[in-house]
Amino acid sequence: MDYRFRSQRRVQIDEPQAPPKFDDAGDEPPEDDEEEHSLRLRPSDSNVSDDQEPFMGFKVRRKASLHREYRGDYLDVPSHPSLMKILQKQGDKQVLFADKVLKFTGSGKMKWRILLITDFAIYIIDPETDALKRRIALAAVEKMCLSELSDNFFAIIVPTEYDLLMASTRKTEIVTVLVEATKSDYELEVNFSKRFEYNAAAELVKEVQFEEVEGGVKTRILRK
């Protein structure tokens, strides 16, 4: 069945306690050929200094991201036994980054997830159930894709599995943490463009397109 569905969703992710109201189904086969998001994502209060940005000079950045201080663990992971149990089971100890982010499923739904990065792996955890949804070894990450504009989208490309498309007001910090965590083994590629493709599932390719409009950035997610 070939039809198009267009929607405009305004998403604010400064306070991640209340997730968007979407169906809580899993990553079922996609129903929409095109999704359109007019996102007005406000920058967070924390900022990043220029010398901490390995990709400085390639991206048009928000004014609020010019002088940012990194905290890394925004969830205080040691105070959450369930999160510590997951890390201990995998043998990970050093938490480089932890925060709630919006993750896009294969069908285009948005769900709150905990993004936890250690010196060995990336963890995606359900904040409601504390269930580990996915673990990706850092060595499996080939590159990251971002737009050239002041949006909050980023994709983590994992060729041996399937990719991650997420949104966070701390995107700059996430990219920097991953670049720093992998630099002793390889140079993580970071690509900036007004459009990029990612594998939303094993055999599902989507393209994310960005367009600067008055008041923000319009984002389209198209099924290829």
Side-chain angles (χ1 to χ4, degrees):
M1 181 179 297
D2 184 17
Y3 61 93
R4 292 178 180 270
F5 172 81
R6 291 177 177 267
S7 65
Q8 289 195 340
R9 287 180 273 187
R10 293 175 181 265
V11 182
Q12 176 179 321
I13 57 178
D14 298 80
E15 298 295 335
Q17 289 80 6
K21 301 300 182 180
F22 289 100
D23 185 0
D24 196 34
D27 291 348
E28 66 274 13
E31 300 173 351
D32 306 329
D33 290 331
E34 178 177 340
E35 302 147 25
E36 182 174 314
H37 308 268
S38 291
L39 300 185
R40 305 294 185 263
L41 304 182
R42 296 186 301 179
S44 62
D45 294 331
S46 60
N47 295 316
V48 177
S49 60
D50 289 348
D51 61 343
Q52 292 174 309
E53 297 189 35
F55 42 87
M56 177 63 187
F58 291 93
K59 183 173 176 59
V60 178
R61 296 178 301 154
R62 294 184 300 272
K63 291 181 180 179
S65 69
L66 292 174
H67 306 287
R68 184 165 291 194
E69 295 179 359
Y70 290 168
R71 284 174 48 194
D73 182 2
Y74 295 90
L75 301 179
D76 190 15
V77 172
S79 69
H80 296 276
S82 57
L83 297 180
M84 291 300 296
K85 184 178 180 180
I86 291 173
L87 294 180
Q88 291 166 0
K89 185 176 181 180
Q90 298 293 335
D92 278 350
K93 296 180 180 179
Q94 185 178 0
V95 175
L96 305 178
F97 181 86
D99 196 15
K100 288 184 180 179
V101 300
L102 280 174
K103 176 185 174 294
F104 289 76
T105 69
S107 60
K109 294 180 174 66
M110 294 185 290
K111 297 183 178 182
W112 287 114
R113 291 288 183 256
I114 292 173
L115 172 64
L116 201 155
I117 304 172
T118 71
D119 51 344
F120 289 107
I122 297 169
Y123 292 80
I124 304 297
I125 300 168
D126 187 331
E128 298 296 325
T129 63
D130 290 331
L132 176 61
K133 308 297 289 185
R134 189 176 179 191
R135 182 183 187 272
I136 305 168
L138 292 185
V141 177
E142 179 184 71
K143 63 182 177 180
M144 297 190 70
C145 295
L146 304 88
S147 83
E148 300 171 347
L149 304 175
S150 57
D151 59 275
N152 293 275
F153 284 85
F154 64 97
I156 299 176
I157 308 302
V158 188
T160 57
E161 303 175 24
Y162 59 93
D163 307 326
L164 285 170
L165 178 65
M166 294 181 283
S168 170
T169 54
R170 297 189 174 101
K171 175 179 68 174
T172 301
E173 180 172 356
I174 293 168
V175 176
T176 304
V177 165
L178 286 172
V179 169
E180 290 295 313
T182 56
K183 69 178 183 180
S184 61
D185 298 316
Y186 65 98
E187 183 177 349
L188 180 64
E189 183 179 348
V190 181
N191 292 340
F192 295 91
S193 176
K194 289 187 178 178
R195 62 178 63 198
F196 60 78
E197 293 184 358
Y198 76 103
N199 288 297
E203 297 182 359
L204 174 61
V205 178
K206 291 190 175 184
E207 182 177 75
V208 188
Q209 300 177 354
F210 304 91
E211 179 185 359
E212 192 166 18
V213 297
E214 184 178 357
V217 177
K218 180 187 292 184
T219 305
R220 293 184 178 91
I221 302 176
L222 308 174
R223 185 178 180 183
K224 300 291 286 185

